[in-house]
Amino acid sequence: MRTTITVNGEARSMDLDTRTTLLDALREHLRLTGSKKGCDHGQCGACTVLVNGTRINACLSLAVMHDGDEVTTIEGVGAVDGLHPMQVAFLTEDAFQCGYCTPGQICSALGMLREVADNWPSQETQDLTGPVRLTNDELRERMSGNICRCSAYPQIVAAIRSIAGEPA
Amino acid sequence: MRPFTYERATDAQAAVKAMAEHPNAKFLAGGTNLLDLMKLEIEHPAHLIDVGRLPLAAIEDTAEGGLRIGAMTTNSHVAADARIRSRYRVLTQAIVAGGSGQLRNKATTGGNLLQRTRCAYFYDTAKPCNKRHPGSGCGALEGLNRNSAIFGASDACIATHPSDMAVALVALDASVETLTPWGEGRRFPVAELHRLPGETPQIETRLAPGELITAVVLPRPPQGGQVYRKVRDRASYAAGLASVAVAGGNLALGAVAHRPWRADKAEAALKSGASPGEAIAAELAGAAQNGRNGFKINLVARLVPAALEEARANGRDA
């Protein structure tokens, strides 16, 4: 099935089996292997990408559902010679060991910060009618869809915190 | 995953018409549950009708002083809506208690209601399950049934409904609006959407085959405080062991039955002056255990009074 998705700013047209997930289209058809396949069931978050600016699990979506969408993968977040500040923060804070979950962590963190800027609540939000304060409990709760088997969580929190700033 | 054909519906009427024309078709919205089940070959539709982009993603004020939530509104957008946060906080709290940020960004209001049980025997295609394979038996009855139902179960099925959102909707006396395959609009309470398993646990709702949920309608919020409390094995991103939604004098329980469980016996007891502990004991008099899930009875007995107290405090602050 002919499907055109704008990936990292470039329109990419593919002829796909309807069963192809967005993740497999990115990795196997477009050779963008930064997005990782961990569990393939939406439980680990390694496949997290931004679709029209919103974070989702690319493994739990069919590529044909995204005809006309704009997708940003880790390859579009930054380049080797021009890292995104969040990528620099993960390096600075040593926020990974094996690195397999890192592209998903970084895409998720960027999507999460936009949700906070839009004042979306989480289960840690005590005052549902006021502005969200991104406490560490809030930050950890909002990143709970991204698993790190090496358990670099304290450093991941520190890296995201260094970009988000301290809560007011 | 087995092969299937795919189409993107342009309007709701066309979607139900396409459903009538294709045998073994399914609606696809966010896909977070259906695609997972298709990968596991628990679901195997021959045709998918993508309804995710239908113009049913608005949240509108109703003439009755409530809200109409389009069925394709994502869980994240419902939870974040300022009107829902201020007037229906139990709904926001229930939604953000479910799934992860990534899942809530994709999952829809209609799809959340129609998600399927997380019972391990439903998921394991090597095991008997009357819901997945009618007539094969229930592996959970004598098996690892720690998270099975304590209300309304049958010998054919002891699975629970996993939605948090639906529990809040039942407590809020919400309704669903649907479009039938014959093009008629229907409206009925969310509390009447899901069935008890009986002898036919594969039939989970009262929707006709091919009927599409188009909206959820919230009436004016009830008088009194609201709260959603959920207990689970870890602090985030896990299905509930038991949950409770309080909305004024209304009380609904989650993860304890094949549908969101409206605790009407407890409500009646509270109205006639019983203490929270006495009220939930009246409800739990009708509970039954299956060996490994008996702890849920104690859990609910402790959870509900705590939630009622919190709801009362919320009601005073409002």
Side-chain angles (χ1 to χ4, degrees), chain B residues 199-214:
Chain B
E199 294 305 307
T200 53
Q202 74 276 18
I203 305 171
E204 293 172 351
T205 71
R206 62 177 273 189
L207 297 178
E211 186 168 0
L212 178 70
I213 295 177
T214 53

Side-chain angles (χ1 to χ4, degrees), chain A:
Chain A
M1 189 167 185
R2 181 55 61 178
T3 302
T4 303
I5 305 172
T6 299
V7 181
N8 301 329
E10 191 184 340
R12 307 293 295 267
S13 194
M14 294 163 275
D15 193 26
L16 297 173
D17 186 310
T18 53
R19 290 172 288 183
T20 312
T21 62
L22 176 60
L23 178 62
D24 284 343
L26 293 169
R27 287 181 54 86
E28 309 297 333
H29 292 261
L30 300 180
R31 301 288 172 196
L32 293 170
T33 53
S35 307
K36 295 294 187 272
K37 183 181 285 191
C39 68
D40 208 25
H41 290 282
Q43 296 169 0
C44 76
C47 67
T48 303
V49 298
L50 301 168
V51 174
N52 305 326
T54 300
R55 57 178 174 158
I56 67 163
N57 302 111
C59 76
L60 279 188
S61 210
L62 297 172
V64 293
M65 294 164 71
H66 294 285
D67 189 49
D69 279 346
E70 294 194 9
V71 175
T72 302
T73 68
I74 193 66
E75 290 91 342
V77 167
V80 173
D81 55 358
L83 292 177
H84 187 283
M86 187 67 81
Q87 292 174 305
V88 175
F90 269 65
L91 287 169
T92 305
E93 299 294 340
D94 199 16
F96 51 85
Q97 288 180 52
C98 81
Y100 196 79
C101 73
T102 311
Q105 298 279 2
I106 289 174
C107 287
S108 187
L110 294 172
M112 183 273 288
L113 291 181
R114 191 177 116 156
E115 292 163 11
V116 171
D118 288 343
N119 203 34
W120 287 12
S122 85
Q123 68 166 355
E124 291 297 329
T125 309
Q126 305 302 319
D127 176 8
L128 288 179
T129 53
V132 169
R133 291 181 70 248
L134 188 64
T135 61
N136 276 359
D137 284 348
E138 278 273 12
L139 198 160
R140 286 174 176 274
E141 161 59 23
R142 289 165 188 268
M143 291 297 293
S144 75
N146 291 82
I147 310 299
C148 172
R149 187 63 187 80
C150 308
S151 207
Y153 297 112
Q155 293 86 348
I156 292 170
V157 171
I160 299 172
R161 173 64 65 207
S162 75
I163 300 297
E166 293 301 319

Side-chain angles (χ1 to χ4, degrees), chain A residues 55 120-128 132-133 135 137-145, chain B residues 79 85 89-101 104 164 227-232 234-240 243 310:
Chain A
R55 57 178 174 158
W120 287 12
S122 85
Q123 68 166 355
E124 291 297 329
T125 309
Q126 305 302 319
D127 176 8
L128 288 179
V132 169
R133 291 181 70 248
T135 61
D137 284 348
E138 278 273 12
L139 198 160
R140 286 174 176 274
E141 161 59 23
R142 289 165 188 268
M143 291 297 293
S144 75
Chain B
R85 287 157 80 160
R89 61 177 288 147
V90 63
L91 180 54
T92 287
Q93 289 183 318
I95 291 172
V96 298
S100 65
R104 293 191 295 270
D164 292 293
V227 78
Y228 189 75
R229 296 266 300 245
K230 175 178 180 178
V231 182
R232 47 187 157 177
R234 55 177 189 246
S236 181
Y237 199 13
S243 68
E310 190 176 344

Side-chain angles (χ1 to χ4, degrees), chain B:
Chain B
M1 210 186 295
R2 298 189 200 174
F4 57 86
T5 49
Y6 168 95
E7 69 177 286
R8 196 181 274 187
T10 50
D11 63 64
Q13 289 283 355
V16 293
K17 187 161 175 282
M19 186 63 97
E21 286 163 359
H22 289 89
N24 193 19
K26 282 237 172 228
F27 293 125
L28 171 70
T32 52
N33 189 223
L34 178 59
L35 295 175
D36 188 31
L37 294 172
M38 286 169 65
K39 288 182 184 190
L40 296 165
E41 301 210 343
I42 295 164
E43 297 267 18
H44 25 76
H47 186 68
L48 287 181
I49 300 160
D50 187 348
V51 293
R53 300 200 191 199
L54 293 183
L56 298 171
I59 303 175
E60 304 161 323
D61 296 309
T62 67
E64 293 75 31
L67 292 173
R68 173 179 284 100
I69 302 166
M72 302 309 150
T73 317
T74 65
N75 290 177
S76 291
H77 280 113
V78 176
D81 185 274
R83 295 161 291 183
I84 291 173
R85 287 157 80 160
S86 61
R87 296 170 60 209
Y88 304 95
R89 61 177 288 147
V90 63
L91 180 54
T92 287
Q93 289 183 318
I95 291 172
V96 298
S100 65
Q102 289 97 315
L103 290 173
R104 293 191 295 270
N105 285 346
K106 197 128 187 304
T108 64
T109 304
N112 183 305
L113 289 173
L114 298 181
Q115 66 180 300
R116 308 200 65 191
T117 185
R118 303 297 191 272
C119 178
Y121 295 86
F122 175 70
Y123 269 79
D124 186 345
T125 53
K127 297 285 196 300
C129 172
N130 287 321
K131 187 182 282 298
R132 175 168 36 74
H133 191 246
S136 61
C138 172
L141 264 183
E142 307 284 330
L144 299 172
N145 56 27
R146 177 170 176 266
N147 204 4
S148 61
I150 55 171
F151 290 112
S154 72
D155 288 343
C157 182
I158 56 173
T160 59
H161 195 270
S163 172
D164 292 293
M165 182 193 82
V167 182
L169 291 178
V170 165
L172 288 166
D173 280 327
S175 299
V176 283
E177 291 183 345
T178 71
L179 189 64
T180 66
W182 50 95
E184 179 197 351
R186 294 209 290 165
R187 180 170 165 172
F188 52 84
V190 175
E192 295 172 15
L193 174 65
H194 301 97
R195 298 172 70 255
L196 290 180
E199 294 305 307
T200 53
Q202 74 276 18
I203 305 171
E204 293 172 351
T205 71
R206 62 177 273 189
L207 297 178
E211 186 168 0
L212 178 70
I213 295 177
T214 53
V216 165
V217 181
L218 298 173
R220 194 183 284 275
Q223 293 288 321
Q226 300 178 16
V227 78
Y228 189 75
R229 296 266 300 245
K230 175 178 180 178
V231 182
R232 47 187 157 177
D233 284 329
R234 55 177 189 246
S236 181
Y237 199 13
L241 296 168
S243 68
V244 57
V246 183
N250 299 346
L251 205 54
L253 305 174
V256 293
H258 199 254
R259 66 182 187 207
W261 189 262
R262 184 73 181 255
D264 43 16
K265 291 185 185 68
E267 289 176 12
L270 284 172
K271 276 199 188 78
S272 57
S275 70
E278 291 165 347
I280 195 59
E283 192 70 39
L284 286 165
Q289 59 168 307
N290 285 292
R292 296 175 195 247
N293 67 347
F295 76 99
K296 284 192 176 192
I297 294 174
N298 284 334
L299 194 53
V300 170
R302 292 168 187 171
L303 177 64
V304 170
L308 284 167
E309 191 177 324
E310 190 176 344
R312 277 180 193 160
N314 289 341
R316 279 196 298 274
D317 295 344

